[in-house]
Amino acid sequence: MVQTPGGGHGTSVRPPVAQNVSLRSLVGNQEVVKSGLSKRELEVFREVTKHRNKTVHFFHEAHTSNEASALKQEVARKQLTAWYFLHRLITEQWKDVFAPWVSQIADVDKKLRGLHEFLSVVFENLSSEIDSRKANGFVFKQCPSCGFESQQHEDEQETIYESECLVCRLTERSLQIECPNCGETVFFENEGFSSCGNCGKRFEPEDVADILIDDGAAHIAAKDGDESWSPGNCGDCEGYHTVVRTPNDEYVCASCFGVFESLQWCQWCNEPNTGDMENSYWAGCNFCDGKAGWDKDD
């Protein structure tokens, strides 16, 4: 069981397997035993076991008034560290053994990641891995959710990708471009509005659309009467002509960063849109009322 530090009426979270699976039974499981534990994992689990044995069988100093608060926080942090390692084991090395509890395990981990103290433990244990990924070209920024420098970005520009925080697991649609004024990298998160942190130049969706579209391919297609490169309207955010075809044949909204497989033309106003335009002759699209609206005006 993990209790938030600070004493009093903290939040307790009991791992879903605790009622049915003890540490001793895990040790007796051959699939678990043969997988092995690292030195650090063994140290952490043994520390928590010692605190547990003191509480159940003997006497624990945290129950006294002298420095009890600080000691409780230390024990709670050790418990959180133990869960970090245990969660990694039961979702990776031992995932077949714990498959029956996968949803309950995910629920517990999600609740714990709402505690800043646990996120601090996760970041501390991931620091060396983050440094290694940085050396391999990944870029890390401060996560807007948890505040740690743990949001991983791809080492490429002018492509929409999923950035993920390794600590709190926040995912966002992201884009990197080179600022045309100063050459610094500008980051966009979930939308086509941003500004350069170096020179202050502001960017809006139309700027992003100009960057994402392949002007050469669009020009050639237009000369051949191919309308598939025409800017379209976004059914998700109702952006007007914000959806552009990219060189990898995806259709991306430069406003909300939605990604679509194709555009369809409204049968009434002939505007390209995302979404199903099957009944658009009568019902219209986001930018017209179709024949129904025309007849109503009459």
Side-chain angles (χ1 to χ4, degrees):
M1 179 181 294
V2 176
Q3 183 169 343
T4 54
H9 302 287
T11 301
S12 296
V13 181
R14 183 182 296 276
V17 297
Q19 296 178 355
N20 302 316
V21 183
S22 67
L23 286 176
R24 289 181 181 177
S25 65
L26 287 179
V27 172
N29 186 298
Q30 290 302 310
E31 291 187 52
V32 170
V33 170
K34 67 184 180 182
S35 65
L37 296 174
S38 69
K39 181 180 179 181
R40 176 60 176 153
E41 288 166 345
L42 284 171
E43 289 175 352
V44 169
F45 295 151
R46 283 169 177 164
E47 286 178 358
V48 173
T49 300
K50 288 178 182 178
H51 286 294
R52 180 262 181 196
N53 290 341
K54 277 188 176 183
T55 300
V56 174
H57 300 296
F58 304 106
F59 169 77
H60 201 292
E61 299 85 347
H63 294 160
T64 65
S65 58
N66 295 333
E67 300 182 357
S69 178
L71 186 53
K72 285 179 181 178
Q73 290 186 29
E74 179 186 344
V75 174
R77 188 173 181 85
K78 288 179 179 178
Q79 286 181 299
L80 293 171
T81 303
W83 171 255
Y84 167 76
F85 285 116
L86 180 60
H87 178 262
R88 190 170 63 178
L89 285 166
I90 61 184
T91 57
E92 295 178 15
Q93 287 180 242
W94 303 342
K95 64 181 180 180
D96 293 337
V97 177
F98 289 90
W101 300 284
V102 63
S103 61
Q104 296 97 317
I105 292 169
D107 184 55
V108 171
D109 192 61
K110 181 179 179 181
K111 290 178 180 178
L112 286 174
R113 287 179 190 266
L115 304 176
H116 189 270
E117 184 70 15
F118 180 60
L119 296 179
S120 177
V121 166
V122 176
F123 179 70
E124 178 183 309
N125 284 280
L126 283 174
S127 294
S128 59
E129 182 177 345
I130 290 175
D131 290 340
S132 176
R133 295 193 183 193
K134 285 180 179 178
N136 288 326
F138 288 101
V139 177
F140 282 85
K141 290 185 61 189
Q142 184 179 47
C143 174
S145 178
C146 68
F148 294 102
E149 190 179 330
S150 51
Q151 188 183 46
Q152 179 176 295
H153 291 263
E154 302 291 337
D155 184 24
E156 58 182 296
Q157 295 190 348
E158 302 185 4
T159 300
I160 303 292
Y161 61 91
E162 290 282 338
S163 62
E164 180 182 13
C165 175
L166 302 188
V167 172
C168 70
R169 294 182 175 166
L170 172 74
T171 58
E172 296 187 304
R173 290 173 178 165
S174 301
L175 170 71
Q176 300 177 46
I177 66 168
E178 181 180 300
C179 177
N181 283 2
C182 66
E184 288 295 311
T185 299
V186 181
F187 288 87
F188 295 78
E189 307 289 351
N190 294 324
E191 62 177 9
F193 296 89
S194 188
S195 59
C196 178
N198 184 52
C199 68
K201 177 177 173 57
R202 298 184 61 82
F203 296 88
E204 296 189 0
E206 52 264 36
D207 302 310
V208 175
D210 289 340
I211 292 169
L212 293 179
I213 195 170
D214 187 333
D215 289 326
H219 178 70
I220 294 173
K223 289 178 62 177
D224 294 338
D226 180 0
E227 296 182 339
S228 64
W229 287 86
S230 301
N233 306 319
C234 182
D236 288 357
C237 69
E238 299 190 350
Y240 179 69
H241 286 185
T242 57
V243 179
V244 295
R245 182 176 172 180
T246 62
N248 59 356
D249 290 330
E250 288 182 332
Y251 292 84
V252 176
C253 177
S255 181
C256 70
F257 286 5
V259 180
F260 310 93
E261 293 183 358
S262 63
L263 291 176
Q264 294 186 21
W265 272 252
C266 175
Q267 297 169 359
W268 181 256
C269 69
N270 204 37
E271 277 284 322
N273 294 274
T274 62
D276 186 2
M277 294 289 108
E278 183 178 357
N279 299 315
S280 57
Y281 180 80
W282 177 255
C285 63
N286 286 338
F287 295 90
C288 78
D289 295 326
K291 190 176 188 304
W294 179 272
D295 291 345
K296 182 178 179 181
D297 291 340
D298 289 343

